[in-house]
Amino acid sequence: MARLFDAYIIVDWSAAEGRKTGEQSVWIGVARRDARFRPTYEAHNPATRAEAEALLTKIVGDMRRRGERALIGFDFALGYPAGTAARLKLDGQPWSAMWRLLSAEVKDKADNTNNRFAVANKLNRLMTGEARPFWGAPARQVQTWLSATKPGNAYEGTAEFRATEEVACVGKQRPKSVWQMHGAGAVGGQTLLGIALVGRLMEAWGSSAAVWPFGTGWKALSAADVEPLSVVVAEVWPSILPQKPEPGEVKDATQVRTLAQHLLRLDEKGELGVLFAARKGADEGVVRRVEDEEGWILGV
């Protein structure tokens, strides 16, 4: 049975300031097969996002030289709620236009210092002229158009969630809104920094890489779809799977390992391709939102 990929790389991103390892830092899990086709796994915990970017570049570069293919899952949103690009008056395909904007605006230095709160402040000014829809900042980062807490009208004229977040649920838990920049479980900061990262990687990898579902369509992927590519990038939410930590393993490490190994096993059984298919019953409007601007979480 033909497998779609040779390696399954899961990236747990972080917006941490300063060098950091262990809990609440960047973790990269790589599941693959060895020379005897036995499943193997390795974990990496780079101390900065710059080190993580360099490591991903090396891993993928080595694979491309061997003619291998990788599925890379990032645990942050790859798009924003439909209408965001229009509110920013961006030209072109909405998801791509947003990526270009963030690539130009986000500054993430080698020591992990970054301007994510300043970027959120600017985007609020451009979208609404008020401290919304982005919200949340520590006291020292509160700015004219970015408040410490959620304004009462934060989502006036703006969707709080993307279509995928509306239906994603594990027990009573679901992904946080991309607009929340600070506070427990906030993902807004790592999304800003993460999209800028993936934008740089995709520019370097060129036409040999595609982002699902923007560049592939929201559909099941076949060997014919994947064969011309070296890399397929997807958005993931590791919490979607039950977690069983190994002794001494922090939560983030457990999550990347569990998901990477799960994807490898699905591919072994020929069941991975259907994971990329559109949600059953999705109407034409939702499909357009997902493919043009919002993206989707793999497996939801």
Side-chain angles (χ1 to χ4, degrees):
M1 183 179 296
R3 304 178 187 91
L4 296 181
F5 301 98
D6 301 290
Y8 315 83
I9 304 169
I10 303 300
V11 183
D12 188 311
W13 206 232
S14 167
E17 299 273 358
R19 296 178 64 85
K20 183 173 175 56
T21 56
E23 292 186 20
Q24 302 299 312
S25 65
V26 177
W27 283 87
I28 300 174
V30 184
R32 63 173 95 206
R33 304 166 194 88
D34 64 15
R36 296 182 180 180
F37 299 100
R38 296 172 302 191
T40 66
Y41 178 75
E42 58 190 41
H44 305 272
N45 186 207
T48 67
R49 287 178 293 276
E51 291 175 15
E53 183 173 350
L55 177 61
L56 285 170
T57 299
K58 181 182 185 306
I59 291 172
V60 171
D62 290 344
M63 292 191 65
R64 291 174 74 184
R65 282 189 288 275
R66 294 192 297 266
E68 297 175 341
R69 292 184 292 274
L71 170 62
I72 307 181
F74 291 94
D75 78 330
F76 48 79
L78 295 179
Y80 283 83
T84 300
R87 296 190 78 173
L88 287 164
K89 299 180 173 59
L90 302 180
D91 296 324
Q93 197 170 18
W95 76 268
S96 182
M98 192 69 181
W99 281 34
R100 287 194 301 272
L101 174 64
L102 295 184
S103 294
E105 295 291 337
V106 170
K107 309 301 177 189
D108 196 5
K109 298 181 181 178
D111 64 357
N112 259 6
T113 57
N114 61 82
N115 68 338
R116 66 188 187 277
F117 294 108
V119 172
N121 179 70
K122 180 174 181 177
L123 295 178
N124 278 346
R125 175 176 62 81
L126 294 174
M127 280 192 284
T128 65
E130 300 178 30
R132 63 184 181 90
F134 286 101
W135 62 271
R140 68 183 184 282
Q141 294 286 2
V142 170
Q143 302 173 48
T144 305
W145 296 286
L146 185 65
S147 60
T149 57
K150 181 180 177 181
N153 65 340
Y155 306 125
E156 185 179 303
T158 304
E160 180 176 3
F161 295 106
R162 298 174 298 153
T164 188
E165 291 149 352
E166 291 284 2
V167 298
C169 189
V170 175
K172 294 183 179 180
Q173 179 187 8
R174 75 171 175 185
K176 295 279 189 177
S177 170
V178 293
W179 305 121
Q180 183 180 348
M181 292 290 297
H182 187 62
V187 297
Q190 68 186 52
T191 294
L192 289 174
L193 299 174
I195 288 178
L197 157 80
V198 181
R200 291 190 298 272
L201 292 174
M202 293 298 295
E203 185 174 358
W205 293 334
S207 59
S208 69
V211 180
W212 172 83
F214 303 132
T216 63
W218 194 18
K219 64 175 185 176
L221 296 185
S222 67
D225 295 318
V226 176
E227 193 276 334
L229 303 170
S230 299
V231 177
V232 173
V233 168
E235 177 183 342
V236 297
W237 184 36
S239 297
I240 204 168
L241 295 174
Q243 309 292 316
K244 186 177 180 181
E246 294 181 346
E249 195 174 50
V250 302
K251 178 182 177 182
D252 311 88
T254 302
Q255 289 183 329
V256 297
R257 175 182 55 78
T258 301
L259 184 52
Q261 293 175 335
H262 175 69
L263 295 173
L264 182 150
R265 288 191 296 269
L266 286 180
D267 207 5
E268 291 282 358
K269 295 186 290 185
E271 298 174 1
L272 181 57
V274 298
L275 216 61
F276 298 89
R279 179 177 172 83
K280 187 177 180 179
D283 63 34
E284 228 175 87
V286 172
V287 172
R288 281 199 303 272
R289 284 171 59 189
V290 168
E291 292 185 340
D292 291 348
E293 186 163 14
E294 293 192 348
W296 194 263
I297 299 168
L298 186 65
V300 168

